[in-house]
């Protein structure tokens, strides 16, 4: 099925527009076939300044500040300043995202968040667009339990960037071979020099419970998540900071519930063939290949692979037998693209296609 026809351009706002994730939103939305930048928000430190001045000296993208963002004046993150937008993409710092995103939802905006604050909420879906867009089905219920009941507003969150890289291959394996029983994962994150720091606060817990929420289904009445109560997946995660600017690497070992488990060659073929609802809907940001399987022993690598398909897919390599569980492999994904901004944008494209986003003048 092709994506529903969308009335373009569709005005959108970006909260946290000056940060790492916000800048990637600006770059992607400026070139997007449906969305047009309409309002930008950040802290009081940036508010009141034209966007190009607010990001002067800290613009991290490889292309210049897009013309459509340059002269937009950065606003404080209050709903009144975002009138005319229907969709809000949030790259806000977690210290403020919680209340700000609730205020935008209450003002009937469709909010796509990257922050951790609402990921555990019982009515807010945690959607990795290449895995569980079926969870959009809870949005009518989310609207109905707000006081007052909402007509158009909702919040959808993305997963943590490492969870996103992990769950895409896990979903492909479960789709073909049934429930996984156990996963061991070690992640390697960015941004230190000449060191490895074997601790990232809260990260290991997020990988463990987010995976269960994403891979579990919705209950039959569509009002809650089943969190895999019947087939609990045991995950043990270890997360470290390493000197890489962009791209998260994860070493993963999995054990399947059904015996005998698949061979490394079967796993290779299953991952390479994995196709997703986002691709069948043909939304603009969906990658041609959800998972790129590498044969060379020294791949994937962040520097060589993080920008392929604009960072919208996951890379898997070194698929081999595991002497303790069943199969082990290496995953690499772009934390700012599929791990953040690209996921939000693909979620919004899917939500439009499923008519979850309702424009006030539709
Ligand atoms: N970086 C990643 O790889 C990644 C991946 C996935 C998810 N995330 C999540 O995405 C979010 C943004 O991450 P980031 O790395 O882009 O952070 P960042 O670079 O520190 O950017 C934070 C943004 O929040 C704004 N902000 C800070 N305090 C504010 C306040 N009091 N009121 C309004 N705006 C405020 C900042 O505005 P000013 O510039 O004006 O201070 C900036 O635009 C976080 O929740 C993070 O956990 C990040």
């Amino acid at each position: 099925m092709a994506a529903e026809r969308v009335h373009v351009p569709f005005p959108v706002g970006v909260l946290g527009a000056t940060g790492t994730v916000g800048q990637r939103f600006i770059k992607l939305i400026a070139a997007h076939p449906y969305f047009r930048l309409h309002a930008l928000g950040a802290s009081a430190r940036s508010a009141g300044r034209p966007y190009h001045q607010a990001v002067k000296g800290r613009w991290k993208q490889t292309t210049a500040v897009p013309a459509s963002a340059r002269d937009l004046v950065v606003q404080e993150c209050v709903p009144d300043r975002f009138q005319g937008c229907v969709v809000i993409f949030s790259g806000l710092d977690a210290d403020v995202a919680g209340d700000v995103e609730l205020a935008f939802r209450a003002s009937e905006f469709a909010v796509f968040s990257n922050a951790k604050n609402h990921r555990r909420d019982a009515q807010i879906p945690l959607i990795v667009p290449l895995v569980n867009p079926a969870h959009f089905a809870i949005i009518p219920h989310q609207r109905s339990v707000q006081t007052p009941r909402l007509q158009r507003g909702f919040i959808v969150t993305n997963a943590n960037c490492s969870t996103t890289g992990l769950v895409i291959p896990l979903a492909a394996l479960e789709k073909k071979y049934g429930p996984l029983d156990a996963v061991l994962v070690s992640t390697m994150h960015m941004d230190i020099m000449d060191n490895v720091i074997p601790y990232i606060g809260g990260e290991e817990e997020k990988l463990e419970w987010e995976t269960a929420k994403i891979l579990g289904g919705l209950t039959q009445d569509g009002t809650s998540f089943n969190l895999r109560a019947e087939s609990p997946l045991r995950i043990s995660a270890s997360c470290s900071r390493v000197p890489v600017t962009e791209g998260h690497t994860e070493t993963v070992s999995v054990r399947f519930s059904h015996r005998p488990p698949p061979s490394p060659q079967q796993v290779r073929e299953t991952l390479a063939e994995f196709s997703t609802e986002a691709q069948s809907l043909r939304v603009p940001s969906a990658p041609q290949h959800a998972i790129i399987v590498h044969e060379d022993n020294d791949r994937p690598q962040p520097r060589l692979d993080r920008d392929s398909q604009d960072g919208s897919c996951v890379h898997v390599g070194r698929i081999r037998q595991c002497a303790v569980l069943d199969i082990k492999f290496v995953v690499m994904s772009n934390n700012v693209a599929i791990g953040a901004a690209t996921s939000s944008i693909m979620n919004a494209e899917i939500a439009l296609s499923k008519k979850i986003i309702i424009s006030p003048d539709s």
Side-chain angles (χ1 to χ4, degrees), residues 2 18-19 25 40 92 109 122 132 141 202 235 240 255 267 272 282 285-286:
T18 49
F25 273 129
L40 309 181
L92 281 174
F109 291 99
N132 61 327
H141 176 65
I235 302 183
S240 302
R255 182 183 150 83
V267 165
R282 290 197 234 139
S285 302

Side-chain angles (χ1 to χ4, degrees), residues 211-336:
T211 301
K213 184 168 177 181
I214 295 162
L215 293 181
L218 279 177
T219 52
Q220 212 150 20
D221 64 3
T223 63
S224 58
F225 300 97
N226 88 28
L227 303 176
R228 299 188 54 126
E230 302 95 41
S231 57
L233 169 60
R234 293 169 300 141
I235 302 183
S236 173
S238 304
C239 302
S240 302
R241 290 203 188 280
V242 297
V244 175
T245 55
E246 202 168 288
H248 286 357
T249 300
E250 309 180 42
T251 57
V252 185
S253 293
V254 299
R255 182 183 150 83
F256 296 84
S257 298
H258 298 160
R259 317 307 292 168
S263 68
Q265 182 54 25
Q266 287 172 314
V267 165
R268 228 170 258 130
E269 288 164 10
T270 299
L271 296 179
E273 285 163 6
F274 181 53
S275 75
T276 69
E277 190 181 354
Q279 293 164 302
S280 51
L281 289 170
R282 290 197 234 139
V283 296
S285 302
Q288 194 186 351
H289 303 286
I291 300 174
I292 294 182
V293 175
H294 294 262
E295 298 296 337
D296 293 343
N297 272 335
D298 60 356
R299 299 286 278 278
Q301 294 179 24
R303 196 139 47 96
L304 299 182
D305 298 312
R306 62 192 168 206
D307 292 325
S308 70
Q309 300 188 104
D310 293 328
S312 62
C313 62
V314 169
H315 296 260
V316 179
R318 304 218 57 223
I319 300 166
R320 61 214 192 277
Q321 211 86 50
C322 171
V324 178
L325 301 185
D326 292 326
I327 297 285
K328 57 184 175 178
F329 49 85
V330 177
V331 176
M332 201 287 300
S333 58
N334 186 318
N335 50 296
V336 188

